[in-house]
Amino acid sequence: MQVIGLCRFSYPALGGFQIEHDTPEDRAAFLYDPVRMEERFATFQNLTLPPLLAQTDPDFTLAIVVGNAMPEKLLTRLLDLVQDIPQAVVLPRVPGRHRQVMCEVINHVREDRPLPSLQFRMDDDDAVAVTFVQRLREAAQDLGPMLAKHRYIGLDFNQGHIARIGPKGIHAKPTVETLWTPALGMAVAAGASRGIMNFSHAKLGRVMPVVTLPGEDMYVRGHNQFNDSRQKEGVKPVRLPLLDAAGEAAFLRTYNIDADTVRASYR
């Protein structure tokens, strides 16, 4: 089964954001703000990429969607970051309807195979465990009879961490949440016209079977000052304590995220 990951890297979509802008140009100006981009590159480099580089099952494709008008300096910086990740494909797209563009991207990299594709999505400040692709494929294989009956099945790894990085290292706490996106997968039947981006992640259980897979840390949900979902008034801050040595060792083991590397990147 082909495993496809989708990551939107500051793509100025029409829709798909909780922060509203009047025009694609206004949205691009917000997304490409130098302060915001420095933070996004820091999270992408220190949180998102390290576990993808260390996947125990390296057989996957990661489609990274960017705007076709991303400044050349930023695009070059992004391409440099992913040059050692053979699974990564950077795909520039003109501003368009969010779900429509993301679905087109997935179908662009999707191969014509007789087996279901396994799809997941992540933001550029999220991460998955180094075992994620392996566990996703194993879980789908365990569902053989269900795959034969259903065009779509959700695979929800519900345990992980909320984290923020900074000059002191990694601030994080464990969490268990249902249908959060970083380690939420979907088995999509061969020939099915829709995929993971056609459905609201929080409502998957209304339209398809969802198998919850608890008991193993499988994701990092990044928190920072530019989180789209945390910009509205009344959103309470999440207290994230600084990891001690044991916590840093667990993060390195589970996610290949190195606190020393994080600290060094801020110096």
Side-chain angles (χ1 to χ4, degrees):
M1 288 178 278
Q2 183 186 12
V3 177
I4 302 170
L6 178 75
C7 180
R8 182 185 65 183
F9 190 90
S10 298
Y11 169 72
L14 306 177
F17 289 89
Q18 296 188 36
I19 303 173
E20 297 295 336
H21 297 94
D22 293 332
T23 67
E25 291 76 18
D26 291 338
R27 175 155 291 168
F30 166 77
L31 293 176
Y32 300 145
D33 174 82
V35 175
R36 181 186 180 279
M37 289 307 303
E38 282 303 313
E39 184 183 75
R40 285 290 153 162
F41 273 108
T43 57
F44 192 63
Q45 180 175 357
N46 290 295
L47 288 181
T48 306
L49 294 184
L52 294 175
L53 276 164
Q55 286 296 304
T56 54
D57 181 348
D59 183 13
F60 67 96
T61 299
L62 180 71
I64 303 172
V65 188
V66 300
N68 70 321
M70 173 180 270
E72 184 176 354
K73 185 176 180 179
L74 297 177
L75 180 59
T76 299
R77 185 175 175 182
L78 175 62
L79 292 173
D80 287 343
L81 281 179
V82 302
Q83 65 178 347
D84 294 327
I85 304 178
Q87 300 90 344
V89 182
V90 177
L91 299 171
R93 291 293 185 270
V94 299
R97 299 304 305 175
H98 176 245
R99 291 192 184 277
Q100 181 179 344
V101 173
M102 298 303 118
C103 292
E104 181 274 323
V105 166
I106 288 179
N107 287 329
H108 176 77
V109 300
R110 186 176 172 186
E111 299 171 359
D112 185 13
R113 301 189 187 185
L115 297 173
S117 64
L118 306 178
Q119 303 176 8
F120 67 97
R121 54 187 287 196
M122 62 193 309
D123 289 334
D124 52 15
D125 58 353
D126 294 332
V128 293
V130 297
T131 58
F132 174 67
V133 173
Q134 176 186 340
R135 295 287 188 262
L136 181 64
R137 184 172 275 118
E138 289 173 349
Q141 291 169 344
D142 290 341
L143 298 176
M146 288 186 68
L147 292 178
K149 294 180 181 179
H150 301 278
R151 294 177 71 78
Y152 309 99
I153 299 175
L155 299 163
D156 181 24
F157 293 92
N158 69 346
Q159 180 175 310
H161 290 83
I162 302 171
R164 180 180 69 252
I165 61 173
K168 294 183 179 180
I170 304 168
H171 302 255
K173 74 169 190 176
T175 188
V176 176
E177 295 288 347
T178 301
L179 298 176
W180 271 15
T181 56
L184 175 63
M186 182 185 295
V188 178
S193 60
R194 295 184 290 177
I196 195 168
M197 290 304 304
N198 290 100
F199 303 94
S200 169
H201 65 89
K203 300 176 181 178
L204 283 192
R206 299 183 184 184
V207 295
M208 69 183 68
V210 176
V211 178
T212 302
L213 300 150
E216 185 176 10
D217 290 334
M218 200 56 68
Y219 66 80
V220 174
R221 175 60 184 256
H223 270 216
N224 53 73
Q225 65 175 326
F226 289 103
N227 278 133
D228 179 62
S229 61
R230 304 192 58 76
Q231 298 300 314
K232 293 185 177 180
E233 294 183 3
V235 176
K236 295 181 179 180
V238 178
R239 182 178 177 275
L240 300 174
L242 185 66
L243 292 182
D244 58 15
E248 290 182 354
F251 246 64
L252 182 59
R253 182 173 59 252
T254 304
Y255 304 112
N256 193 39
I257 295 172
D258 185 1
D260 287 337
T261 301
V262 170
R263 284 186 284 267
S265 73
Y266 281 88
R267 288 200 289 269

